[in-house]
Amino acid sequence: MTTPSDVLLPPDADPRLGPVLSGLTACLCAVLADGGRPACACCLVWGASPPAQDFCACDCDGGHGQAWVRVVRQEPVTANQDRRRRCQTWRMQTVIELGVARCVAVVAPDGQSAPTCEQREADVWGLVLDQRLLLEAAACCDALSGVQVWPGPVAPMGPQGGCAGVTVQITVEV
């Protein structure tokens, strides 16, 4: 369990990656809100896969769903490595995922009535807008200025359990 005295500032955790992750999270949350698609939860998360859709059904102050930033993996950059006398210096390429999940239309409580085409299309267009906003957050974030960035895959998630979403990955070198 984390207590307030245990909380690290991003540069304390990692002086190169920390500011990138915290800045990218702030950019994502702001871009979604400015784009009219705020999320109830918008945070930096840890895990081998996207977070559980705990906030998918959440409605809050004009928003719904959840958004996240997470580290997918890190790999060393092996070309032209400089060596220090006592410690190795490694540059890392970090794959970062930005994602959002929202409620989508499901079968009605009677178990018989499937979502209409209009409901499904409304969900699609909302998620297409989310995809555009995720790409904008990654492309326009000041936290990435001065950092080598490469675009990665964009992929839909779900639907599953009434949730669907989209993820965007980027690779940064820090």
Side-chain angles (χ1 to χ4, degrees), residues 31-158:
V31 166
L32 288 173
D34 291 347
R37 301 277 293 168
C40 295
C42 184
C43 50
L44 181 63
V45 299
W46 188 262
S49 59
Q53 306 309 301
D54 298 328
F55 295 93
C56 187
C58 173
D59 288 322
C60 61
D61 298 330
H64 69 282
Q66 69 186 56
W68 65 90
V69 171
R70 75 178 180 96
V71 171
V72 174
R73 70 179 173 277
Q74 287 191 303
E75 298 174 355
V77 176
T78 56
N80 300 323
Q81 289 292 322
D82 295 328
R83 288 191 170 212
R84 288 187 184 172
R85 186 163 200 163
R86 291 203 251 175
C87 295
Q88 297 294 324
T89 302
W90 289 294
R91 290 188 349 256
M92 300 297 285
Q93 285 187 340
T94 304
V95 177
I96 299 171
E97 176 183 270
L98 293 78
V100 65
R102 311 281 187 177
C103 292
V104 293
V106 295
V107 173
D110 66 10
Q112 302 297 316
S113 304
T116 65
C117 286
E118 290 80 13
Q119 290 171 309
R120 290 178 184 191
E121 285 180 15
D123 291 337
V124 167
W125 295 125
L127 290 166
V128 167
L129 174 54
D130 284 336
Q131 174 181 304
R132 181 175 63 84
L133 295 171
L134 293 177
L135 289 167
E136 181 181 327
C140 301
C141 188
D142 287 342
L144 298 177
S145 62
V147 175
Q148 197 74 325
V149 181
W150 297 273
V154 176
M157 291 177 37

Side-chain angles (χ1 to χ4, degrees), residues 1-16:
M1 183 167 100
T2 305
T3 64
S5 63
D6 294 335
V7 176
L8 293 172
L9 295 175
D12 295 334
D14 186 315
R16 293 179 291 183

